[in-house]
Structures are given as structure tokens and as C-alpha cells.
Amino acid sequence: MANIREIAKAAQVSVTTVSRVLNGHPYVSVEKRQRVEEAMRQAGYSPNSNAVHLATGKTGMVGVVLPYSHHPYFHALLGGLMEEALKHQYTALLCQTNYEAETERHYLEMLRTKQVDGLILCSHELPWPDILPYAANGPIAACEFVPHPEISAVYTPHYAAFLEGMRYLAARGHRRIGYCIGRRDSESSRQRYAAYTDALKEINEPLREDWIFEGCVQFSDGIKVLDQLMHMEDRPTALLVTGDEAAAGVLARSRQLGIAIPGQLAIVGFDNQPISEALELTTIDQHLHEIGRQAFKAFYRKAAQQDKTPCRMEIPFELIERASV
Amino acid sequence: MANIREIAKAAQVSVTTVSRVLNGHPYVSVEKRQRVEEAMRQAGYSPNSNAVHLATGKTGMVGVVLPYSHHPYFHALLGGLMEEALKHQYTALLCQTNYEAETERHYLEMLRTKQVDGLILCSHELPWPDILPYAANGPIAACEFVPHPEISAVYTPHYAAFLEGMRYLAARGHRRIGYCIGRRDSESSRQRYAAYTDALKEINEPLREDWIFEGCVQFSDGIKVLDQLMHMEDRPTALLVTGDEAAAGVLARSRQLGIAIPGQLAIVGFDNQPISEALELTTIDQHLHEIGRQAFKAFYRKAAQQDKTPCRMEIPFELIERASV
DNA sequence: CTGAAAGCGCTTACAG
DNA sequence: CTGAAAGCGCTTACAG
């Protein structure tokens, strides 16, 4: 492959001039510009990105940190994010962590090694104190509430959303309410737990830890939850399920076993994924697509130096009433 | 940020030695190695990836070309692909094209500009003649049958899969069969069309072009198809739907309108996505996860120079019988 | 086991 | 409008 020097020689100009043509700078005479363009065409020349990145210190890539690349939740986030990235000629480096701390750290390192201009954290395993130092190397945006101004944050108000779900069920007469969640140690989980306990107080119901099911991420997890439920003496009459995939599993299994939805068990899902529409599942839409979009924009504003102030953006949620409550 | 020269100075060795430590080369005395490691730690040093990429000519990145990043079909592919990439310390650059030719070409250019070591085409818009020249710049693998040995191919035998679907419906007594597809001009679409017409001949049924629905990609497309169907005088009794999302839309809409599935309309989906399990949809599993895995491996074998011979790998499919036929 | 030097292919003040 | 030269930060024969 030809390099810039060969093009310069062929066009009988300096490499500086070739570089100017390449970058669309002004102040190049028409004839030289044409000679350069012709030489590039002849040689089938393309500039080496790595050299450009090295010289400029920018890559036009943003690392997207997520645990799995095959889950609809992250898909929705990714969709919005990519839509916005495309507009700004940015491209996304997929950083799949499987929630392994070491893998995640490896991706954070990419910010230090200049492989990406910034990072968008869809979900992460490492605690903030481990992540914060990396913010010095480039903008980091997270799709969750972050108590540190160095990190941009675009998020659902999980406490409010969960509380609304609880009150919605309570208003429909439910007193015995349980919930399903992915991981218990995340920021959103803490908020939801708080909303859960507060809502129980409102209706004067005791906290039942055994009605909190964790590890609910995919369809099959929902199936397991329902099977567990069936083995309980004392069962909830309603379930808040943080994730439509898992909620769909609960619902599908219920139908299979002949348990009436919402008659015997009411279900509220989260995310408003296509699957919830298919199953007529009542769900809380967090506008994940929009969160992804805004997270990219938050990163971009800092990367383009347009903005130095910390970003804190709450995305409103919406309860979609369908047929599972 | 410190560079390799500063580390060398601090450790009182040459940059060559630092480089050797960095890359785990042998032939470095224990004491120098320790001095270098100490200096790196002190400085909080990380090597600049762009410089490494420039000097070595490799990036450890593979570009994944796909139209949308928010569709379950590509999610499944991506999941398998990432699983394998992680094993080989490769990372994926997401190249979302929206099926726009110019955008796609821009991503192909990344192979020429050395931004990625290779490319995996999940689905593409440009015709092969436009793509082939890029194969000279690095390994390209596609998740479909490719009639050119320069490109590695991992694929479902679409003709056979579609024929099996048709025969399955025919064996259940269906004579009036239609089908839904995404785009009509792709390789897989041509194979499916061939299987469709051949299967119709087997059962002595005429070809009905108006029973072929295109543009069926997502849930809402399935809804539209059913609505169209309702306006037809002469309707099929069975539908082969290439994609569970769209199939789910057809099914959900049918239930809404009180059309019995499979009584009045039988449906066979494709992909065996979670949504099909939720809806008890009979579907043809193409093992997309496996296709993604093998596509990465095909790329990797060439990238690692382990293999020069063209890769042609057919992934078997499987009809999953559930309740929609 | 070690290092000086050339090379990877660009960009960008700086001086004209 | 133009170019010589320094710089970005690594790797890798080559010679010892």
C-alpha cells in the first residue's frame, strides 16, 4: 500500500500538501489539489488510520462497556447510542465484560492506551472508586445515576419508577407483592429495594425477603421464578419484574401451568421490549433507546470540548398498561 | 502521559529493553526487568495503542458489519461472535450500515485504512463485486453463502431449511401457503424463493406472488402483514415467516382479532428467538449463535495465518415443533 | 542479554 | 499558497 510520501512524489508536491488535501484544508491551489487527487486515485491510496490516530491523538471510536451483547436490554441502549454515533461519524467498540472485573478493567485501560476517545458504561461490575481515575483520560458516560461529577450520567429514576409500579399494583388491590431483579448489588437495585420497602410501608405490609428473586435476566430465569413460586406455601399475588424477558418467562410458564394472568398472578415488566407487546404485558417503559442516545451525546459534548460541566440527565419513564395486571 | 522513552530513562535502560518487557520477550535480565516494571508503575504508564498498531500493522479489532444493532437476529449472531472474539483477545468494532451503500463502503474502507484486521459481514447491501477487492487488505468472513473463495462463508442452507418448512406445512395438510421475508434481493431470499416454488410444484399448487410479503423485519411488520391478509379475498392458511419477531407480530395480531392459531392460520417462524418460545411458536432454528462463533473463527484462522484455504461451512438447522402449526 | 537507529505513516507549527 | 522538519510513540532487525 502506498503511503503519503509516495503520493507526494507522484504528484510532485510536499507531503504537507497531500495532508492538506486529505483533510480538506483551504489554501491549496486548484492544480496541486487535482494532481494530488489524481495520484491518490492512481495508487488506490487510503491513509493509514493508526498513523492518523497517533498523530492527532483521536480515534473517532467510543468504547461501549456492557456485560452481554445478546440481551434485548443492551440492544435497545445500543440502538439509540449507535443512531447518535453515526450522526457524528463515531464508531463503537464493543466491550463485552460478562461482568468479569478483570475483563472490564482491560476495557477501561483502552481509554489510557488511547484506543478509544471515551467510554460509555451501559452496566459495569467494578465499583466507582476503581473507575474514576480513568476519567482523567477521556470522557466517560454511564447509563445510570452516578454520584460523581467526573462521570456523565443519563438515567431512569429507578426509585420513582419502581414506586409507581408498586402503587399501581396496590391501587388494583394487591397487598402481597414480590419482585424480580438481575443483580442485587447495583445502584438501581438499591433504589428499587428502597422503593419496595417504602411502598410496603404505605400499605402496611411486612417485608418478605423470600419474595425478592434475584438473578432474573433472561426468559428462562422467569420460568424458574414461577416454578419456585409454585413450591411456596405463601405466595405473592403480584410480581414486579425488572426486565421484560424475565417477565415473559414468568407469564409464559404461568399460561402453561394454567395459572390465570392477571387473575391469579399480576405481572408488571420493565423496558417495553417487543416481547412485552407480543404477550400484552403491562410494563414500565424506560425509553432505553433515548437513554442510549443521550449517553452518547453526553460523551460527545465532552469529547468535542463543547461542554465542561458535568452531565446529569434524568429520562422520564412511562407505565404502559396492557393485559397482565 | 509518560511515553516509552521516559520509562527507559527512569529505569536507565534503552527503549528496546522497555519494549521487550512490555511484550514479555525473553532475554531481559531480571534486575532490568524489575527496574522497568517499577518505573512503569511509578509513572502509571500505559503504552499507546495507536503507536503499537502503527508499528505492528495489527489492531486486534475486527469490524462487524450489520444493518441494525437493535434486532434480535443480529444480536444472536453478535453473541456468538463476541464469545469467540473474547477468547482470542479480539474486540469488535460495530459497523452499523442501515443498509446504506455509502455507509457500508465507509466501513469496508476501514480494512484498507488498517483500522481493523478484518471484517465479518452479518448482512450487507453492496454487491460482491464491490466488496471483493477489499479482501486483499485482510480476511473477510460472511454469515451467508458466498460464491467467491476470497471470502470465508458460514451459513444456513436456506434452500433446504425453507423446503423443510414448506414440506412440514404440506404434510399437515396445508396447500395454500404464503411467506414473509425481509428483503427480496438477498442471496438467502433467492434460495428461499426457489425452495418455495419447488415446494409448490411438489404439491401442485400455483405460485401466488401476492402471498409473498416483503419488508418483514420486526414485530410491527408482522402486524401489518396480518392486517393485509385480512383484506384479501383469497387467503393462505399457512405462513412461513423468516424471522421470529415478525412471526410474533402475525401471531399476536391474530390472537387480538380472534383468529385461531393454528386452526385458521398456521405459522412457522425462523431463528428460535426467545420470543418464539414465549409464544409457543413453531420455528426453524438456524443456530445463529453458532454461525456467529464460526464466522469469527473463520476470520481468525486467516488473520492468524493458520489457514490459507477458503472456508465454506454449512451450519445445520433444526425445526422446533411448538404450538403454531 | 543489550542498545542505537531506522522505520511505521501521518500532522502541524513555523517560516517563508 | 507551500514545504522542510520535528514530532506522535511504538517495534524490530542488526550488530554487538
Side-chain angles (χ1 to χ4, degrees), chain B residues 284-298:
Chain B
I284 295 178
D285 191 339
Q286 311 180 62
H287 301 306
L288 295 173
H289 191 88
E290 180 66 11
I291 291 180
R293 284 191 54 210
Q294 296 297 342
F296 180 86
K297 289 178 81 167

PDB file of all heavy atoms in Angstrom, chain B residues 284-298:
ATOM      1  N   ILE B 284     -37.888 -22.516  12.896  1.00  0.00           N
ATOM      2  CA  ILE B 284     -36.709 -23.212  12.404  1.00  0.00           C
ATOM      3  C   ILE B 284     -35.478 -22.530  12.978  1.00  0.00           C
ATOM      4  O   ILE B 284     -35.193 -21.375  12.686  1.00  0.00           O
ATOM      5  CB  ILE B 284     -36.671 -23.230  10.860  1.00  0.00           C
ATOM      6  CG1 ILE B 284     -37.854 -24.069  10.351  1.00  0.00           C
ATOM      7  CG2 ILE B 284     -35.344 -23.797  10.363  1.00  0.00           C
ATOM      8  CD1 ILE B 284     -37.987 -24.135   8.845  1.00  0.00           C
ATOM      9  N   ASP B 285     -34.791 -23.264  13.820  1.00  0.00           N
ATOM     10  CA  ASP B 285     -33.614 -22.723  14.495  1.00  0.00           C
ATOM     11  C   ASP B 285     -32.418 -22.841  13.558  1.00  0.00           C
ATOM     12  O   ASP B 285     -32.066 -23.929  13.127  1.00  0.00           O
ATOM     13  CB  ASP B 285     -33.366 -23.521  15.780  1.00  0.00           C
ATOM     14  CG  ASP B 285     -32.323 -22.869  16.666  1.00  0.00           C
ATOM     15  OD1 ASP B 285     -31.517 -22.062  16.154  1.00  0.00           O
ATOM     16  OD2 ASP B 285     -32.318 -23.160  17.875  1.00  0.00           O
ATOM     17  N   GLN B 286     -31.801 -21.704  13.277  1.00  0.00           N
ATOM     18  CA  GLN B 286     -30.637 -21.730  12.380  1.00  0.00           C
ATOM     19  C   GLN B 286     -29.340 -21.706  13.172  1.00  0.00           C
ATOM     20  O   GLN B 286     -28.263 -21.601  12.605  1.00  0.00           O
ATOM     21  CB  GLN B 286     -30.674 -20.518  11.448  1.00  0.00           C
ATOM     22  CG  GLN B 286     -32.013 -20.332  10.773  1.00  0.00           C
ATOM     23  CD  GLN B 286     -31.998 -19.128   9.859  1.00  0.00           C
ATOM     24  OE1 GLN B 286     -31.247 -19.074   8.896  1.00  0.00           O
ATOM     25  NE2 GLN B 286     -32.823 -18.147  10.170  1.00  0.00           N
ATOM     26  N   HIS B 287     -29.458 -21.776  14.490  1.00  0.00           N
ATOM     27  CA  HIS B 287     -28.270 -21.730  15.343  1.00  0.00           C
ATOM     28  C   HIS B 287     -27.416 -20.517  15.028  1.00  0.00           C
ATOM     29  O   HIS B 287     -26.233 -20.621  14.693  1.00  0.00           O
ATOM     30  CB  HIS B 287     -27.470 -23.021  15.196  1.00  0.00           C
ATOM     31  CG  HIS B 287     -28.260 -24.242  15.555  1.00  0.00           C
ATOM     32  ND1 HIS B 287     -28.905 -24.381  16.771  1.00  0.00           N
ATOM     33  CD2 HIS B 287     -28.548 -25.362  14.857  1.00  0.00           C
ATOM     34  CE1 HIS B 287     -29.537 -25.538  16.810  1.00  0.00           C
ATOM     35  NE2 HIS B 287     -29.344 -26.150  15.658  1.00  0.00           N
ATOM     36  N   LEU B 288     -28.035 -19.369  15.176  1.00  0.00           N
ATOM     37  CA  LEU B 288     -27.350 -18.127  14.842  1.00  0.00           C
ATOM     38  C   LEU B 288     -26.120 -17.884  15.710  1.00  0.00           C
ATOM     39  O   LEU B 288     -25.099 -17.386  15.248  1.00  0.00           O
ATOM     40  CB  LEU B 288     -28.321 -16.947  15.000  1.00  0.00           C
ATOM     41  CG  LEU B 288     -29.495 -16.970  14.020  1.00  0.00           C
ATOM     42  CD1 LEU B 288     -30.494 -15.872  14.366  1.00  0.00           C
ATOM     43  CD2 LEU B 288     -28.992 -16.816  12.592  1.00  0.00           C
ATOM     44  N   HIS B 289     -26.247 -18.258  16.968  1.00  0.00           N
ATOM     45  CA  HIS B 289     -25.115 -18.092  17.883  1.00  0.00           C
ATOM     46  C   HIS B 289     -23.897 -18.843  17.325  1.00  0.00           C
ATOM     47  O   HIS B 289     -22.790 -18.315  17.281  1.00  0.00           O
ATOM     48  CB  HIS B 289     -25.512 -18.645  19.249  1.00  0.00           C
ATOM     49  CG  HIS B 289     -24.558 -18.304  20.345  1.00  0.00           C
ATOM     50  ND1 HIS B 289     -24.653 -17.141  21.084  1.00  0.00           N
ATOM     51  CD2 HIS B 289     -23.471 -18.964  20.820  1.00  0.00           C
ATOM     52  CE1 HIS B 289     -23.674 -17.116  21.981  1.00  0.00           C
ATOM     53  NE2 HIS B 289     -22.948 -18.214  21.845  1.00  0.00           N
ATOM     54  N   GLU B 290     -24.149 -20.044  16.871  1.00  0.00           N
ATOM     55  CA  GLU B 290     -23.071 -20.868  16.324  1.00  0.00           C
ATOM     56  C   GLU B 290     -22.520 -20.277  15.031  1.00  0.00           C
ATOM     57  O   GLU B 290     -21.313 -20.306  14.775  1.00  0.00           O
ATOM     58  CB  GLU B 290     -23.588 -22.295  16.085  1.00  0.00           C
ATOM     59  CG  GLU B 290     -22.568 -23.266  15.522  1.00  0.00           C
ATOM     60  CD  GLU B 290     -21.419 -23.552  16.486  1.00  0.00           C
ATOM     61  OE1 GLU B 290     -21.520 -23.153  17.659  1.00  0.00           O
ATOM     62  OE2 GLU B 290     -20.424 -24.149  16.038  1.00  0.00           O
ATOM     63  N   ILE B 291     -23.397 -19.743  14.214  1.00  0.00           N
ATOM     64  CA  ILE B 291     -22.938 -19.114  12.977  1.00  0.00           C
ATOM     65  C   ILE B 291     -22.005 -17.950  13.312  1.00  0.00           C
ATOM     66  O   ILE B 291     -20.935 -17.800  12.718  1.00  0.00           O
ATOM     67  CB  ILE B 291     -24.135 -18.628  12.123  1.00  0.00           C
ATOM     68  CG1 ILE B 291     -24.894 -19.841  11.582  1.00  0.00           C
ATOM     69  CG2 ILE B 291     -23.664 -17.740  10.978  1.00  0.00           C
ATOM     70  CD1 ILE B 291     -26.104 -19.492  10.724  1.00  0.00           C
ATOM     71  N   GLY B 292     -22.396 -17.151  14.297  1.00  0.00           N
ATOM     72  CA  GLY B 292     -21.548 -16.042  14.728  1.00  0.00           C
ATOM     73  C   GLY B 292     -20.191 -16.531  15.210  1.00  0.00           C
ATOM     74  O   GLY B 292     -19.154 -15.985  14.842  1.00  0.00           O
ATOM     75  N   ARG B 293     -20.213 -17.582  15.997  1.00  0.00           N
ATOM     76  CA  ARG B 293     -18.962 -18.138  16.519  1.00  0.00           C
ATOM     77  C   ARG B 293     -18.044 -18.588  15.386  1.00  0.00           C
ATOM     78  O   ARG B 293     -16.863 -18.252  15.339  1.00  0.00           O
ATOM     79  CB  ARG B 293     -19.242 -19.359  17.405  1.00  0.00           C
ATOM     80  CG  ARG B 293     -19.773 -19.029  18.787  1.00  0.00           C
ATOM     81  CD  ARG B 293     -19.751 -20.289  19.649  1.00  0.00           C
ATOM     82  NE  ARG B 293     -18.413 -20.868  19.640  1.00  0.00           N
ATOM     83  CZ  ARG B 293     -18.119 -22.142  19.764  1.00  0.00           C
ATOM     84  NH1 ARG B 293     -19.084 -23.021  19.913  1.00  0.00           N
ATOM     85  NH2 ARG B 293     -16.869 -22.553  19.742  1.00  0.00           N
ATOM     86  N   GLN B 294     -18.622 -19.373  14.503  1.00  0.00           N
ATOM     87  CA  GLN B 294     -17.807 -19.926  13.419  1.00  0.00           C
ATOM     88  C   GLN B 294     -17.319 -18.852  12.455  1.00  0.00           C
ATOM     89  O   GLN B 294     -16.243 -18.969  11.879  1.00  0.00           O
ATOM     90  CB  GLN B 294     -18.594 -21.005  12.665  1.00  0.00           C
ATOM     91  CG  GLN B 294     -18.931 -22.224  13.506  1.00  0.00           C
ATOM     92  CD  GLN B 294     -17.685 -22.971  13.987  1.00  0.00           C
ATOM     93  OE1 GLN B 294     -16.589 -22.809  13.459  1.00  0.00           O
ATOM     94  NE2 GLN B 294     -17.864 -23.786  15.029  1.00  0.00           N
ATOM     95  N   ALA B 295     -18.122 -17.817  12.287  1.00  0.00           N
ATOM     96  CA  ALA B 295     -17.693 -16.730  11.399  1.00  0.00           C
ATOM     97  C   ALA B 295     -16.456 -16.054  11.981  1.00  0.00           C
ATOM     98  O   ALA B 295     -15.502 -15.757  11.270  1.00  0.00           O
ATOM     99  CB  ALA B 295     -18.819 -15.718  11.201  1.00  0.00           C
ATOM    100  N   PHE B 296     -16.481 -15.859  13.302  1.00  0.00           N
ATOM    101  CA  PHE B 296     -15.283 -15.261  13.895  1.00  0.00           C
ATOM    102  C   PHE B 296     -14.088 -16.184  13.729  1.00  0.00           C
ATOM    103  O   PHE B 296     -12.984 -15.758  13.394  1.00  0.00           O
ATOM    104  CB  PHE B 296     -15.463 -14.933  15.375  1.00  0.00           C
ATOM    105  CG  PHE B 296     -14.222 -14.322  15.952  1.00  0.00           C
ATOM    106  CD1 PHE B 296     -14.008 -12.960  15.851  1.00  0.00           C
ATOM    107  CD2 PHE B 296     -13.229 -15.117  16.518  1.00  0.00           C
ATOM    108  CE1 PHE B 296     -12.822 -12.394  16.309  1.00  0.00           C
ATOM    109  CE2 PHE B 296     -12.041 -14.565  16.978  1.00  0.00           C
ATOM    110  CZ  PHE B 296     -11.843 -13.199  16.876  1.00  0.00           C
ATOM    111  N   LYS B 297     -14.315 -17.469  13.977  1.00  0.00           N
ATOM    112  CA  LYS B 297     -13.207 -18.417  13.875  1.00  0.00           C
ATOM    113  C   LYS B 297     -12.642 -18.458  12.462  1.00  0.00           C
ATOM    114  O   LYS B 297     -11.434 -18.584  12.266  1.00  0.00           O
ATOM    115  CB  LYS B 297     -13.660 -19.810  14.317  1.00  0.00           C
ATOM    116  CG  LYS B 297     -13.901 -19.896  15.812  1.00  0.00           C
ATOM    117  CD  LYS B 297     -14.394 -21.257  16.248  1.00  0.00           C
ATOM    118  CE  LYS B 297     -13.263 -22.252  16.399  1.00  0.00           C
ATOM    119  NZ  LYS B 297     -13.726 -23.473  17.125  1.00  0.00           N
ATOM    120  N   ALA B 298     -13.519 -18.332  11.494  1.00  0.00           N
ATOM    121  CA  ALA B 298     -13.064 -18.337  10.101  1.00  0.00           C
ATOM    122  C   ALA B 298     -12.175 -17.120   9.847  1.00  0.00           C
ATOM    123  O   ALA B 298     -11.123 -17.210   9.214  1.00  0.00           O
ATOM    124  CB  ALA B 298     -14.260 -18.326   9.158  1.00  0.00           C
TER     125      ALA B 298
END
